């Protein structure tokens, strides 16, 4: 009985040794692309990306039809149940995954930039490198795994792109917020998008994306490699709310968001959930793309304490903004304007802000430890909403007019999560808002009969006789 | 996923003022096309109408068909009416301004605001238009034959019959009797000289010459430059043209 497992173990060890030496050789024995030898040569790979043969559902699969067959109310109920069922392997803050899912949806859509339309939630690109391993997307690997049972249940009828955004909407609704609506229709990709995210070759670097005059180069929108928007601690961690405001304007602006939308999104997003920085950065291991095969797609393994829940580490900032982080409220805006704030350090060592008023230190219930209470926090980018005169005007107006704040956040959230989907003709499902919005680049509906082939032929002759040359007509078309 | 012919926003701010759209010429053309459209709509009955956006696309189709005919090929490009004209009020000027082309190889246009080289930006643009390598190749060659460069520049118009949809671009690019060198006067421009006489035959930019220098693009250019490639060139161009014209027609899909 003893001998058999022994020999099996020996055999395995032999295989493992062979594998180990093979993997160290891998870099040398791998076929090298021509781009490796001649990096300046024109690379045509972008034109061969997203080959239909990579799509396991085949070319004839019509996702819009598939999504239309889904009972969206049942789907939303399944999502909400997931949100409220805490898993031991990644316990939910206050027993509700809403905050995490709002961030998932936001970061899925937030990569969009207006200049070339790259990025965005369509395609479900957050599943793939580099986005799945961007420092700004830490712990979202857990969010997608929490959603997996829902994805598994609905299969091809609900894409990851749609599921991540819808989970954000359901989170908001589950915590008492009335959303503006939801449109499905995001068709999943099966390979990473090849996108120019900036000239730097190191994550979080930003030494090459600014001109000498300090202008962010086109078509980029984020201020550092691997971030969705800006550094929450201010430009290069300078902790200055005013220069953080300038960065926010530039970054959000390049995603077609104006001041009112910026304030609404930041305030609305931070009304719910918390930030995670309970332990030092050294506790955290490699991102998913660099993690061991046994991690099965997870990254950022945290070896300190329980490594999760009360010891979770994501951005390095720690705490909640509101004292009711799982219920929609005015408390973010109220706290921001009510208290004077002073700089402090999170357990991870990041600079954040807490009220100077010591009575506030007991305002927020801890997300995991019963009976423990904490002070509310603000990021330097939150302080920007108070310190920047332009932002402050809007912040004060929102605080006085909760309905205006609600509507502004609802609309800005809908824009954030839907603008990369394109024209309304691509929207699918039963929760599409009727109101037409200017950023949808709407065209009027056809309110007349269309010309037929004979008419078109006659019109062609007339155009050609109008004196316009072939090159002119071609150029205009 | 923005832009496209539907909406005829080329007639609105900011698009009508973009350098890549030849604002002066564009204004004249749109005036003429609007006149044709109005007159034609008056002649229609039964509540039928045609939009300016459809007239612009149909004008392009008519021009390409005529140019193909001049080359001896009868082609019929499919046309799907149903585009409508957006109003200025429906147009987010600030947000559209961000779409301003920094480079457009199909019309031999390049500006310093581009983040990559002319050839890399050509591939990027083609990728955004979901074009394949052959589609990108045939479109560039065809657009040069049709003399459709921004500002009527002659770079890459490697033909003695501009405005005729033939494969001259590829034939002349691969012609060994031409020797190419960098222009000493104009940065970013290349000169094609007769190898024997030294006479200047053509001028071109990197997005023209890349179809001779990149081994993969040259392989496709050879297909269109071959004696049996003339008809294939016209047919492939027409299919790619129709694809681009209908890229934004989600209402048809």
């Amino acid at each position: 009985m003893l001998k058999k497992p022994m020999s099996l173990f020996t055999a395995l060890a032999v295989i493992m040794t062979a594998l180990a030496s093979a993997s160290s050789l891998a870099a040398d024995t791998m076929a090298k692309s021509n781009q490796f030898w001649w990096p300046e040569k024109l690379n045509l790979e972008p034109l061969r990306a997203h080959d239909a043969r990579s799509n396991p559902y085949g070319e004839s699969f019509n996702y819009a039809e598939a999504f239309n067959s889904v009972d969206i109310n049942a789907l939303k109920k399944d999502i909400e149940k997931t949100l409220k069922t805490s898993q031991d392997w990644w316990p939910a803050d206050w027993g509700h995954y809403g905050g995490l899912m709002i961030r998932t949806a936001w970061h899925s859509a937030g990569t969009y930039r207006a200049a070339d339309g790259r990025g965005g939630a369509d395609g479900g690109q957050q599943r793939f490198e580099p986005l799945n391993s961007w420092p700004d997307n830490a712990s979202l690997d857990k969010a997608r795994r929490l959603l997996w049972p829902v994805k598994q249940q609905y299969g091809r009828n609900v894409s990851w792109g749609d599921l991540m955004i819808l989970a954000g909407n359901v989170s908001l609704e589950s915590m008492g917020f009335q959303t503006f609506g939801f449109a499905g229709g995001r068709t999943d990709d099966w390979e990473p998008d090849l996108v120019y995210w900036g000239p730097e070759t190191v994550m979080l670097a930003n030494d090459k994306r600014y001109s000498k005059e300090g202008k962010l180069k086109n078509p980029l929108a984020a201020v550092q490699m691997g971030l969705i928007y800006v550094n929450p601690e201010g430009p290069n961690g300078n902790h200055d709310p005013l220069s953080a405001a300038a960065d926010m304007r530039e970054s959000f602006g390049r995603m077609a968001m104006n001041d009112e939308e910026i304030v609404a999104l930041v305030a609305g997003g931070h009304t719910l959930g918390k930030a995670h920085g309970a332990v030092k950065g050294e506790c955290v291991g490699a991102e998913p793309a660099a993690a061991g095969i046994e991690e099965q797609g997870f990254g950022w393994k945290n070896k300190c304490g329980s490594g999760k829940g009360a010891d979770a580490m994501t951005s390095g900032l720690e705490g909640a903004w509101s004292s009711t982080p799982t219920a929609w409220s005015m408390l973010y805006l109220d706290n921001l304007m009510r208290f004077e704030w002073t700089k402090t350090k999170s357990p991870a060592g990041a600079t954040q802000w807490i009220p100077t008023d010591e009575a506030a230190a007991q305002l927020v219930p801890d997300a995991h430890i019963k009976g423990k209470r904490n002070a509310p926090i603000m990021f330097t980018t939150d302080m920007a909403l108070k310190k920047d005169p332009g932002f402050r005007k809007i912040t004060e107006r929102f605080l006085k007019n909760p309905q205006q704040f609600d509507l502004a956040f609802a609309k800005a959230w809908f824009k954030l999560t839907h603008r990369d989907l394109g024209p309304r003709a691509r929207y699918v499902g039963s929760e599409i808002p009727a109101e037409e919005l200017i950023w949808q680049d709407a065209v009027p509906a056809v309110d007349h009969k269309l010309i037929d082939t004979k008419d078109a032929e006659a019109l062609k002759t007339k155009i050609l006789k109008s004196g316009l040359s072939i090159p002119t007509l071609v150029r205009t078309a | 996923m923005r832009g496209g012919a539907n909406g005829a926003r080329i007639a609105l701010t900011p698009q009508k003022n973009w350098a890549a759209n030849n604002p002066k010429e564009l204004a004249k053309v749109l005036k003429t096309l609007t006149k044709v459209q109005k007159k034609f709509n008056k002649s229609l009955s039964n509540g039928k109408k045609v939009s300016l956006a459809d007239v612009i696309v149909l004008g392009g189709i008519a021009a390409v068909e005529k140019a193909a005919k001049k080359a001896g090929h009868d082609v019929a490009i499919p046309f799907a009416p149903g585009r409508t004209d957006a109003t200025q009020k429906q147009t987010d000027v600030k947000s559209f301004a961000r779409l301003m082309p920094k480079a457009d190889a199909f019309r031999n246009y390049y500006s310093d605001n581009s983040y990559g080289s002319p050839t890399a930006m050509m591939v990027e643009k083609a990728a955004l238009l979901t074009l394949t390598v052959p589609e990108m190749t045939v479109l560039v060659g065809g657009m040069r034959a049709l003399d459709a460069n921004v500002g009527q520049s002659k770079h890459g118009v490697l033909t003695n019959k501009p405005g005729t949809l033939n494969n001259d671009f590829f034939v002349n690019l691969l012609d060994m009797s031409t020797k190419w060198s960098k222009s000493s006067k104009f940065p970013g421009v290349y000169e094609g000289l007769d190898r024997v006489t030294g006479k200047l035959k053509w001028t071109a930019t990197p997005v023209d010459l890349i179809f001779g220098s990149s081994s993969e693009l040259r392989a496709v250019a050879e297909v269109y430059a071959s004696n049996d490639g003339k008809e294939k060139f016209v047919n492939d161009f027409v299919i790619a043209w129709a694809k681009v014209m209908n890229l934004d027609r989600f209402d048809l899909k």
Side-chain angles (χ1 to χ4, degrees), chain A residues 65-254:
Chain A
E65 263 171 33
F67 183 77
N68 247 337
S69 73
V70 171
D71 175 352
I72 195 162
N73 288 319
L75 168 62
K76 286 172 76 170
K77 270 195 197 121
D78 290 330
I79 293 174
E80 191 176 17
K81 201 176 150 205
T82 303
L83 296 179
K84 292 180 170 174
T85 311
S86 186
Q87 304 291 338
D88 283 344
W89 50 266
W90 194 254
D93 301 329
W94 303 282
H96 198 301
Y97 289 114
L100 177 64
M101 294 303 168
I102 290 169
R103 185 167 153 254
T104 304
W106 190 321
H107 283 211
S108 165
T111 51
Y112 172 85
R113 58 195 190 202
D116 58 3
R118 292 258 182 224
D122 197 7
Q125 280 288 330
Q126 198 188 79
R127 294 175 291 151
F128 301 122
E129 291 78 16
L131 301 185
N132 68 5
S133 294
W134 269 10
D136 218 357
N137 284 338
S139 302
L140 299 186
D141 50 343
K142 317 296 187 302
R144 291 188 302 277
R145 210 57 67 84
L146 289 162
L147 287 173
W148 162 238
V150 180
K151 172 66 188 153
Q152 184 171 36
Q153 187 187 337
Y154 287 84
R156 72 188 68 192
N157 292 337
V158 179
S159 67
W160 272 111
D162 278 349
L163 182 59
M164 284 190 268
I165 298 301
L166 186 59
N169 265 28
V170 175
S171 299
L172 289 167
E173 289 164 10
S174 169
M175 297 190 284
F177 184 75
Q178 173 85 39
T179 65
F180 198 69
F182 172 80
R186 297 165 192 81
T187 311
D188 276 344
D189 291 336
W190 300 98
E191 61 185 275
D193 247 342
L194 194 62
V195 177
Y196 167 68
W197 293 115
E200 298 88 5
T201 52
V202 179
M203 285 296 164
L204 297 179
N206 66 349
D207 51 321
K208 290 180 182 152
R209 62 183 60 211
Y210 289 95
S211 70
K212 266 185 230 146
E213 299 76 39
K215 211 170 140 38
L216 183 60
K217 289 178 188 166
N218 254 317
L220 307 176
V223 303
Q224 281 169 259
M225 178 60 78
L227 289 193
I228 309 287
Y229 295 88
V230 300
N231 185 337
E233 295 185 71
N236 296 317
N238 71 359
H239 320 306
D240 171 32
L242 283 177
S243 52
D247 256 17
M248 289 156 78
R249 269 201 188 92
E250 182 68 55
S251 189
F252 279 79
R254 286 172 184 237

Side-chain angles (χ1 to χ4, degrees), chain A residues 1 5 10 35 64 84 121 136 157 166 171 198 225 253 286 293 299 315 321 330 350 391 397 416 420 435 443 445:
Chain A
M1 281 307 286
T10 321
Q35 230 59 43
K84 292 180 170 174
D136 218 357
N157 292 337
L166 186 59
S171 299
M225 178 60 78
I293 197 168
S315 64
W321 300 262
M330 293 298 289
F391 286 158
R397 176 161 56 81
L416 167 74
D420 71 276
E435 186 182 333
V443 294

Side-chain angles (χ1 to χ4, degrees), chain A residues 48 441-442 444 455 460, chain B residues 2 9 25 48 65 84 216:
Chain A
R48 293 170 181 139
D441 298 346
D455 298 327
K460 273 198 245 176
Chain B
R2 303 179 65 194
R9 285 195 165 91
E25 183 197 63
K48 279 194 284 191
E65 285 175 352
T84 56
E216 293 168 70

Side-chain angles (χ1 to χ4, degrees), chain A residues 34 41-48 112-118 122 194 196 218-219 250 253-256 258 415 419-423 425-426 436 438-439 441-452 455-464 466-477, chain B residues 1-2 6-7 9-10 22 25-26 29 32-33 36 40 44 46-50 55-56 58-63 65-67 70 79 81-82 84-86 89-92 96 98-99 102 107 115 119-120 123-124 126-128 131 133 136 143 146-149 152 163 210 213 216-217 241 245 250:
Chain A
N34 284 324
K41 271 302 235 196
L42 185 63
N43 182 9
L44 294 174
E45 282 317 300
L47 301 184
R48 293 170 181 139
Y112 172 85
R113 58 195 190 202
D116 58 3
R118 292 258 182 224
D122 197 7
L194 194 62
Y196 167 68
N218 254 317
E250 182 68 55
R254 286 172 184 237
M255 305 175 184
N258 63 25
K415 178 176 178 179
R419 64 197 157 167
D420 71 276
L421 192 51
R426 291 196 71 203
E436 217 168 69
I438 189 158
W439 53 266
D441 298 346
V443 294
V446 180
D447 59 355
H448 52 81
K449 274 196 203 157
L450 299 177
I451 57 171
D452 56 31
D455 298 327
E457 285 308 314
L459 181 52
K460 273 198 245 176
T461 315
K462 290 212 163 104
I463 295 171
L464 290 176
S466 69
L468 296 173
S469 69
I470 291 177
T472 344
L473 287 168
V474 168
R475 274 195 285 270
T476 309
Chain B
M1 227 171 259
R2 303 179 65 194
N6 203 356
R9 285 195 165 91
I10 194 168
N22 292 5
E25 183 197 63
L26 178 68
V29 179
T32 310
L33 287 180
V36 173
F40 188 73
L44 290 171
N46 298 332
K48 279 194 284 191
K49 258 199 247 174
V50 68
V55 172
I56 290 171
L58 195 63
I61 288 176
E65 285 175 352
K66 190 176 164 189
K70 278 166 83 178
F79 168 69
T84 56
D85 302 330
K89 229 184 116 184
Q90 281 175 315
T91 305
D92 189 342
F96 262 97
R98 296 191 185 274
L99 302 184
K102 319 283 188 296
R107 310 199 37 222
Y115 67 83
T119 52
V123 170
E124 171 67 8
L128 288 172
L131 300 177
V133 173
M136 177 181 81
M143 292 296 274
L146 292 169
D147 196 13
N149 286 348
Q152 281 108 305
I210 193 70
S213 91
E216 293 168 70
L217 291 179
W241 175 274
M245 287 297 143
F250 297 102

